[in-house]
Amino acid sequence: MTRHSFSFGPHYDPANLGFGPLVCHNDDRLDPSAADVAGYPEHPHTELEIVTWVLEGALVHTDVAGGRHVVEAGRAQVLSAGTGVRHSEVADAQSGRCRFVQAWLTPSAPGAVPSYALGEAPPSSSGLVEVAGGDGLPIGTTGARLLLARLSPGESVTLPDDPRQHVFAATGGVSLDGLDLRAGDAVRLTDEPGRTVRASEQTELLVWSFA
């Protein structure tokens, strides 16, 4: 099952094609016990920055050049597709069900050599940490950052001052200055700096911020 934040694949919505450089934000849930392939068989990408954050289980990326990456829960991968790659993405059967959030962004400069980067979010006792962009994994979209906060009930974070922000409650629930977001809900902010997000339960919050 996949939940899409923007127009995607056969579902075309001309009023919802993206948000700044963010052109895809998908919440995927894969069950390796299902009869069909749990994931996406070999397919191509060009001129995209693809950022994957795994929430549960593990996701196996395999490309036609022989590369293989297993991305476990709590880890991220950045694929800079550049001039073109072909790869597959399937759930690791040994790890059980897999849930991951994947974002596609337009690169700032086309024609790059395809590359991968893989890493964990830096530890943090409070606040937002950079997973990709900034001090996180390198990403070829200037000014783009994926930020993560893991919040206990009652804890809060202040969002950045960047002019565009996509705020996603991956798990749990939060209040954004009175607007309640449950697991799977997202909100887009434009020119609204310094908003406060407060958790009502244990929450994993993902924020795309664009300078």
Side-chain angles (χ1 to χ4, degrees):
M1 179 179 71
T2 303
R3 295 175 176 172
H4 308 287
S5 290
F6 304 106
S7 179
F8 189 84
H11 173 69
Y12 177 65
D13 180 357
N16 190 31
L17 298 179
F19 184 62
L22 185 63
V23 295
C24 163
H25 188 278
N26 289 349
D27 183 357
D28 283 273
R29 301 167 193 239
L30 307 179
D31 183 358
S33 67
D36 296 331
V37 175
Y40 302 96
E42 185 181 305
H43 58 280
H45 290 293
T46 57
E47 302 301 353
L48 284 172
E49 299 293 303
I50 301 173
V51 182
T52 304
W53 176 256
V54 177
L55 291 156
E56 178 185 358
L59 188 69
V60 181
H61 288 243
T62 306
D63 64 45
V64 297
R68 186 178 186 273
H69 308 268
V70 180
V71 189
E72 299 94 352
R75 304 194 80 193
Q77 178 183 265
V78 176
L79 165 59
S80 296
T83 54
V85 296
R86 293 188 64 88
H87 75 157
S88 63
E89 302 161 288
V90 298
D92 178 20
Q94 295 182 344
S95 299
R97 296 189 179 198
C98 177
R99 182 186 173 201
F100 66 96
V101 176
Q102 188 171 91
W104 298 0
L105 299 94
T106 54
S108 298
V113 175
S115 65
Y116 291 94
L118 184 68
E120 299 178 14
S124 175
S125 57
S126 62
L128 291 159
V129 296
E130 293 174 330
V131 175
D135 292 330
L137 296 174
I139 184 171
T141 302
T142 303
R145 295 183 297 157
L146 174 60
L147 307 167
L148 165 73
R150 294 187 174 108
L151 302 173
S152 297
E155 289 187 334
S156 64
V157 292
T158 299
L159 298 176
D161 291 335
D162 293 332
R164 288 181 186 265
Q165 298 176 65
H166 181 277
V167 182
F168 179 67
T171 64
V174 299
S175 173
L176 175 63
D177 290 339
L179 175 65
D180 291 333
L181 302 178
R182 309 306 302 169
D185 288 343
V187 65
R188 305 169 204 178
L189 303 178
T190 301
D191 294 328
E192 297 186 50
R195 297 283 294 272
T196 299
V197 177
R198 185 176 300 276
S200 55
E201 55 189 287
Q202 198 71 34
T203 297
E204 192 157 324
L205 185 74
L206 296 174
V207 179
W208 274 105
S209 188
F210 303 103

